Amino acid sequence: LEVIDTEDPVQVGGMEKFYVTVTNQGNAEDTNVVIKMSFEENFDYVSSSGPTDAKSASAKSVEFAPLSVLGAGKKATWEINAKSLSEGDHRTSVKLTSDTLQRPVDETESTHVY
């Protein structure tokens, strides 16, 4: 699981683009891959695109519909756009679950807003 912000640092009122990439490093396919992203007070969710659509979204989080299959050695990437609201050191949290994983995988991305 990799999370990248593209505009760090970003000005208050500006847009930040995040890329969330899931790589299947195993030698068998994985199924029902789910990504959930959560924002702190500095950002609001605006829009997203990727291999699956957002199944639920609010200002502070977005959860994507399950990716039915991610083949061995394959990658899937989602693009998430968020608006910066206030100055500070923001943490964006991403959680990955799937049928193969016994526990969720968590990743955090730091973004500075000025």
Side-chain angles (χ1 to χ4, degrees), residues 19 37 61 109-110:
Y19 289 101
M37 187 173 212
S61 69
E109 180 66 20
S110 172

Side-chain angles (χ1 to χ4, degrees), residues 3 18 37-40 43 90-94 107-111:
V3 182
F18 295 89
M37 187 173 212
S38 300
F39 298 101
E40 293 179 333
F43 280 98
H90 174 76
R91 299 288 188 271
T92 300
S93 301
V94 178
E107 183 70 27
T108 303
E109 180 66 20
S110 172
T111 306

Side-chain angles (χ1 to χ4, degrees), residues 46-58:
V46 174
S47 64
S48 57
S49 63
T52 61
D53 293 331
K55 78 170 190 180
S56 65
S58 68

Side-chain angles (χ1 to χ4, degrees), residues 11-27:
Q11 286 186 307
V12 171
M15 294 297 290
E16 178 65 270
K17 186 178 295 184
F18 295 89
Y19 289 101
V20 175
T21 301
V22 176
T23 304
N24 181 346
Q25 297 175 327
N27 56 10

Side-chain angles (χ1 to χ4, degrees), residues 3 5 7 14 17 27-29 41 43 54 56 60 62 64 68 72 81 88 90-91 102:
V3 182
D5 57 357
E7 302 298 323
K17 186 178 295 184
N27 56 10
E29 68 182 26
E41 68 279 351
F43 280 98
S56 65
K60 297 301 176 195
V62 58
F64 293 93
S68 58
N81 297 297
H90 174 76
R91 299 288 188 271
Q102 294 179 357

Side-chain angles (χ1 to χ4, degrees), residues 10 21 30-31 64 69-70 76 82-83 90 97 108 114:
V10 62
T21 301
D30 199 357
T31 55
F64 293 93
V69 176
L70 183 60
K83 184 175 182 177
H90 174 76
T97 59
T108 303
Y114 67 97

